[in-house]
Amino acid sequence: MNSTVRIRLVIRGAVQGVGFRPFIYRLATELGLKGWVLNSAQGVFIEVEGLPETLQEFVRRVESDKPPRAFIQSLEQSILDPVGYTTFEIRHSEESGEKVALILPDIATCPDCLREIFDPADRRYLYPFTNCTNCGPRYSIIEALPYDRPNTTMKAFTMCPKCREEFENPADRRFHAQPNACPECGPHLELWDEQGHCLAQHHEALLRATEAIREGRIVAVKGLGGFHLMVDARSDSAVRRLRERKRREEKPFALMYPSLQLVQAHCEVNEAEERVLRSPESPIVLLRRKQVEAVASSVAPNNPYLGVMLPYTPLHHLLMHELGFPVVATSGNLSDEPICTDEREALHRLAGIADLFLVHNRPIARHVDDSVVRVLLERELVLRRARGYAPLPVLVKQPVPPLLAVGAHLKNTVALSVGNQVFISQHIGDLETPQALEAFHRVVTNVKELWEHQPQKVACDMHPDYLSTQAAHRMGIPVVPVQHHVAHILSCMAENELEPPVLGISWDGTGYGTDGTIWGGEFLLIRKGSWQRFAHLHAFRLPGGDRAIKEPRRSALGVLCECYGEQAFQTLQSVFTEQELTALSQMLRRGINAPITTSAGRLFDAVASLVGLRQVVNYEGQAAMELEFRLHGITSDESYPFAVEQTSSDAPVVVDWRPMLPELLQDAASGVPVGCISARFHNTLVEMMVAVAKRAGVECVALSGGCFQNAYLTARAVQRLREEGFRPYWHQRVPPNDGGIALGQIVAASVFG
Ligand code: ZN
Ligand code: ZN
Ligand code: FE
């Protein structure tokens, strides 16, 4: 197999007029790479083709060997199929296409600013709002365009003569740095008690906040795009108190570490992971922990990974420098609500959760959560796209009419298309609470205003009950409903620049199907201008409908019932009470409140329950994750039997998992380790994908949906599909979960709508 690939880099920052293009030319030529470099209003675009190792070296050296005056604010990397370049050239700037103002995401503190805040001789010594043209707040302070100080939340601060001089001097690092500030003229810190009384100001406030954290107290810290709740991650009692108060039982907490060295001491960090940790985006990176005792066990119970980030604002650098140990840094909210952004509101919403409030007087224009990234197959896989990434556009090949997409229900984001750019909003969250719905409406209004664009149509999910769907219908413009799993696949195709025909494997927990049943184990054939449900997993009933999401044992009951009928009820006697079992068996017998589903996510749940791993979950996807965690250290190519059948030539192919069940139950009963059963189960799912891909006979296979957050499943699917001669694609910059649905809806509305 020819392993040449193409990478596209979009680099934004101080890279224009500093000899950047000649540098790229020399580097590419030296490494023997083919492609081009182009300067445009949107940034510097680079495409290079070559072997993956050489390309990796190229990317590394773009960062390490760049010209002295160049500064990279964001570096987006996509790995694509090669197109066969034969030379490397400097292309001339394109001025074609719609001009769209570029709004930069917030950028982590640059090395120059970092040096200043720790230099006692500098006038910005210990100043937590230090920034320059290369770093600092952007998206979180912009109220309107153009990006000038009066249009930001810095408008209330008048620059002092020294700051003004920097701002006006073209030779200065702070020339036209809109949020420029110093201790004389900029925002300042205050420490508040629960009533909002000021206890201390300036650096004293920060020192007293760190004291409180050291004592095990919970401090709400107003950061860049919202509040964090911080506690000492080493203190089990402090972390447990936070869990109780926040009403978050087991969902892992993110951590902020004082240094990369300490992260490396506690977690395994490979080169790609290190790059992401230190990047201008500075997201939370999922890392495998080395030692379980590094932090309190209540930080991430039963989880071999830690979600880790490094300080990304001067405030965080100063705090973490003072503390010297990792802290929990979780969103300042009650579980499921959007992150809190205003200090007065925080006093009210975080009352009873935080003991103290470390706040400042620079308003936050919009909430921007921390992004979450996992490195998979040596590439970035964004699981939550917010700070550092939003609102950078995803470029699509063909210009798209002005459309708005409102996303799905969980992990909601919205998107707006302008020309061939699709702007995906920051993560909004699950539309479960009135606060989340309010945030959704705010973001929708906001994206239309920011880009001054009136969409002609609105794309939404096909599910009639989603609040996002209902909101779309009230907008007064034509509505294009898009099937959920089609949206998943189109978003993966857009990101990877795939042309039909493509076989899309769209696996997740829940999505509304065109036949009114719940889909979730779908194989979709995408052709030019149309799509077809080529195959799906064998369907089963979910007793109690949505309640099954919280109780994997209900999926287990549905699955067993599908195999063994009435006998199933006896098998699960131990995990239900007698009354529960009577009620559920009634539902299943009569088919009332027991919707039909083909969901792969629920099949994961069923298996987790059947092997005794988990009967009830505390958060979405927990059972499937725990099943994945058990795989660690197990290498197995074994799988269970399954069947592929088709009843008539125009009906979808059905992948029947029922033949798997007797062996799986036998394994569980005879004490085969859960990890081995899990490996066989995962391998079986991958073999199902291979079998369907062979039937479909389409070379390109796109993997999308929440199940592909699972690293083992994705990596093995990619490996096996490649072995069988297929070309598999997965997500990179856009989440495989429902956070990517809005992008897919835009594409669907433009090609099918
Ligand atoms: Zn800076
Ligand atoms: Zn100043
Ligand atoms: Fe989904």
Side-chain angles (χ1 to χ4, degrees):
M1 189 183 151
N2 184 355
S3 56
T4 297
V5 294
R6 169 173 52 126
I7 55 169
R8 171 186 299 154
L9 301 179
V10 185
I11 299 178
R12 288 152 179 125
V15 286
Q16 274 135 335
V18 292
F20 200 72
R21 279 181 304 170
F23 155 68
I24 292 296
Y25 179 84
R26 281 193 306 273
L27 183 60
T29 322
E30 182 195 321
L31 295 172
L33 297 170
K34 313 291 180 211
W36 48 264
V37 55
L38 167 79
N39 228 342
S40 86
Q42 299 293 317
V44 173
F45 286 71
I46 302 166
E47 286 203 5
V48 277
E49 287 183 6
L51 295 172
E53 308 82 67
T54 324
L55 292 173
Q56 257 179 26
E57 191 187 342
F58 177 80
V59 176
R60 199 172 49 238
R61 287 181 57 187
V62 164
E63 288 173 301
S64 63
D65 302 0
K66 63 182 185 295
R69 288 201 298 127
F71 185 84
I72 294 173
Q73 288 173 332
S74 81
L75 185 151
E76 283 183 278
Q77 185 182 158
S78 307
I79 298 170
L80 304 164
D81 285 339
V83 289
Y85 295 123
T86 52
T87 57
F88 191 90
E89 60 185 31
I90 297 183
R91 286 197 182 167
H92 292 287
S93 303
E94 269 172 13
E95 289 306 331
S96 62
E98 218 162 334
K99 278 232 178 63
V100 187
L102 180 72
I103 303 173
L104 278 176
D106 301 307
I107 307 154
T109 311
C110 76
D112 290 329
C113 287
L114 194 58
R115 195 167 10 79
E116 289 172 351
I117 62 168
F118 287 112
D119 175 4
D122 195 275
R123 71 188 193 95
R124 289 190 174 83
Y125 180 52
L126 303 181
Y127 184 57
F129 304 95
T130 303
N131 65 80
C132 72
T133 356
N134 295 334
C135 75
R138 298 288 184 271
Y139 190 46
S140 64
I141 59 163
I142 295 173
E143 292 176 328
L145 292 177
Y147 174 50
D148 288 324
R149 190 154 170 129
N151 285 334
T152 71
T153 62
M154 283 297 290
K155 60 177 179 261
F157 300 92
T158 309
M159 274 185 261
C160 68
K162 279 183 184 162
C163 286
R164 165 77 38 201
E165 203 183 296
E166 293 164 342
F167 187 84
E168 287 170 354
N169 177 4
D172 196 279
R173 201 173 92 244
R174 296 197 163 89
F175 179 56
H176 285 182
Q178 303 301 338
N180 189 24
C182 77
E184 289 296 306
C185 65
H188 72 275
L189 287 179
E190 288 189 358
L191 186 70
W192 291 0
D193 68 11
E194 290 157 284
Q195 278 77 47
H197 298 131
C198 180
L199 304 174
Q201 287 192 316
H202 306 289
H203 196 56
E204 176 64 20
L206 184 131
L207 291 179
R208 286 186 55 184
T210 58
E211 248 168 63
I213 292 173
R214 252 190 231 107
E215 287 162 6
R217 301 216 272 163
I218 301 170
V219 181
V221 179
K222 184 181 177 187
L224 196 55
F227 272 82
H228 279 136
L229 289 163
M230 291 192 174
V231 289
D232 184 345
R234 304 165 307 174
S235 162
D236 203 47
S237 60
V239 178
R240 278 180 200 282
R241 197 172 328 118
L242 177 59
R243 286 207 176 274
E244 272 162 36
R245 292 191 187 172
K246 208 177 134 110
R247 285 184 237 152
R248 181 150 141 161
E249 286 157 3
E250 293 190 356
K251 200 171 178 181
F253 280 139
L255 299 171
M256 189 178 275
Y257 266 72
S259 67
L260 179 66
Q261 288 70 26
L262 199 59
V263 179
Q264 286 165 329
H266 291 181
C267 302
E268 285 166 23
V269 186
N270 67 27
E271 199 182 301
E273 288 160 344
E274 180 181 332
R275 199 188 73 76
V276 180
L277 273 173
R278 300 167 57 141
S279 68
E281 291 85 359
S282 276
I284 296 167
V285 184
L286 298 189
L287 300 172
R288 183 164 276 281
R289 37 174 130 181
K290 276 183 184 164
Q291 48 201 102
V292 181
E293 335 72 76
V295 291
S297 61
S298 47
V299 167
N302 303 316
N303 196 321
Y305 291 88
L306 289 178
V308 171
M309 63 186 144
L310 290 173
Y312 55 83
T313 70
L315 171 60
H316 297 132
H317 279 288
L318 293 167
L319 265 174
M320 297 313 295
H321 179 76
E322 202 56 49
L323 289 168
F325 55 80
V327 296
V328 165
T330 183
S331 311
N333 56 10
L334 201 61
S335 54
D336 296 334
E337 288 181 3
I339 189 169
C340 198
T341 54
D342 178 84
E343 51 275 21
R344 289 285 153 195
E345 189 192 271
L347 283 179
H348 168 69
R349 277 181 56 199
L350 304 179
I353 303 180
D355 298 312
L356 286 170
F357 295 80
L358 183 63
V359 301
H360 59 74
N361 55 341
R362 185 179 74 203
I364 296 173
R366 61 181 59 71
H367 83 277
V368 191
D369 286 88
D370 294 317
S371 296
V372 181
V373 169
R374 177 174 207 173
V375 171
L376 178 84
L377 295 163
E378 285 164 18
R379 298 182 195 175
E380 249 175 90
L381 174 65
V382 175
L383 300 178
R384 179 163 81 193
R385 199 173 185 275
R387 178 179 53 76
Y389 298 87
L392 290 177
V394 171
L395 298 175
V396 288
K397 267 184 163 172
Q398 302 295 328
V400 173
L403 294 162
L404 176 74
V406 293
H409 176 67
L410 296 176
K411 301 184 169 68
N412 183 273
T413 60
V414 302
L416 184 78
S417 56
V418 183
N420 67 341
Q421 304 186 46
V422 182
F423 295 92
I424 307 174
S425 79
Q426 71 275 33
H427 166 86
I428 299 168
D430 302 350
L431 303 183
E432 299 265 0
T433 60
Q435 286 86 349
L437 192 63
E438 235 178 80
F440 165 84
H441 285 296
R442 235 182 357 251
V443 175
V444 168
T445 310
N446 194 231
V447 293
K448 288 192 285 190
E449 281 172 3
L450 262 186
W451 284 281
E452 293 177 354
H453 227 68
Q454 277 313 316
Q456 294 163 358
K457 289 181 189 173
V458 53
C460 65
D461 200 274
M462 218 168 240
H463 201 308
D465 300 335
Y466 281 178
L467 296 179
S468 56
T469 305
Q470 293 170 358
H473 282 280
R474 284 194 298 268
M475 284 177 187
I477 48 174
V479 177
V480 187
V482 177
Q483 203 282 321
H484 187 92
H485 301 95
V486 174
H488 271 308
I489 297 304
L490 291 177
S491 94
C492 184
M493 285 173 63
E495 198 190 354
N496 288 292
E497 298 192 340
L498 302 184
E499 292 288 345
V502 167
L503 175 69
I505 304 183
S506 197
W507 283 15
D508 62 4
T510 310
Y512 194 82
T514 52
D515 57 0
T517 68
I518 303 169
W519 291 10
E522 310 310 308
F523 299 84
L524 308 170
L525 209 49
I526 312 288
R527 294 207 183 83
K528 213 173 166 64
S530 72
W531 66 272
Q532 176 204 345
R533 191 187 195 194
F534 178 76
H536 58 77
L537 295 181
H538 181 81
F540 61 99
R541 284 188 182 275
L542 275 180
D546 281 348
R547 283 198 60 184
I549 296 172
K550 286 275 164 75
E551 296 182 30
R553 59 187 182 171
R554 288 178 185 241
S555 292
L557 189 64
V559 158
L560 285 186
C561 203
E562 192 59 34
C563 287
Y564 305 108
E566 305 276 307
Q567 276 182 357
F569 304 125
Q570 280 138 39
T571 321
L572 284 171
Q573 253 164 359
S574 60
V575 300
F576 290 105
T577 66
E578 209 165 299
Q579 287 111 312
E580 283 171 336
L581 214 51
T582 315
L584 294 176
S585 59
Q586 296 251 346
M587 287 179 194
L588 284 169
R589 271 193 209 112
R590 298 188 192 152
I592 296 165
N593 193 19
I596 291 171
T597 186
T598 53
S599 167
R602 294 294 88 81
L603 195 58
F604 267 93
D605 284 353
V607 171
S609 162
L610 292 173
V611 299
L613 197 57
R614 193 160 274 281
Q615 307 304 336
V616 177
V617 295
N618 289 308
Y619 58 92
E620 191 227 350
Q622 187 183 12
M625 277 168 58
E626 290 181 354
L627 206 53
E628 181 193 350
F629 295 156
R630 290 303 180 104
L631 289 166
H632 186 56
I634 292 169
T635 44
S636 163
D637 288 322
E638 285 176 52
S639 57
Y640 295 116
F642 64 93
V644 178
E645 54 219 21
Q646 191 170 23
T647 47
S648 71
S649 62
D650 53 353
V653 170
V654 176
V655 182
D656 196 345
W657 38 263
R658 283 177 299 180
M660 164 180 82
L661 261 267
E663 285 192 29
L664 190 144
L665 291 172
Q666 177 63 41
D667 278 356
S670 58
V672 173
V674 171
C676 294
I677 303 178
S678 173
R680 285 175 202 167
F681 169 64
H682 278 82
N683 295 347
T684 312
L685 295 177
V686 171
E687 292 315 307
M688 289 173 177
M689 298 181 204
V690 172
V692 174
K694 283 180 178 167
R695 280 222 176 198
V698 172
E699 199 185 357
C700 280
V701 182
L703 310 173
S704 189
C707 291
F708 293 101
Q709 298 173 99
N710 181 319
Y712 182 93
L713 188 74
T714 310
R716 190 170 172 98
V718 167
Q719 179 208 329
R720 286 287 298 121
L721 286 165
R722 278 185 180 156
E723 281 169 10
E724 299 291 340
F726 296 97
R727 295 193 355 236
Y729 297 86
W730 63 99
H731 284 273
Q732 302 174 58
R733 313 281 309 173
V734 178
N737 59 44
D738 287 4
I741 286 285
L743 169 63
Q745 288 173 341
I746 294 260
V747 181
S750 78
V751 298
F752 302 141

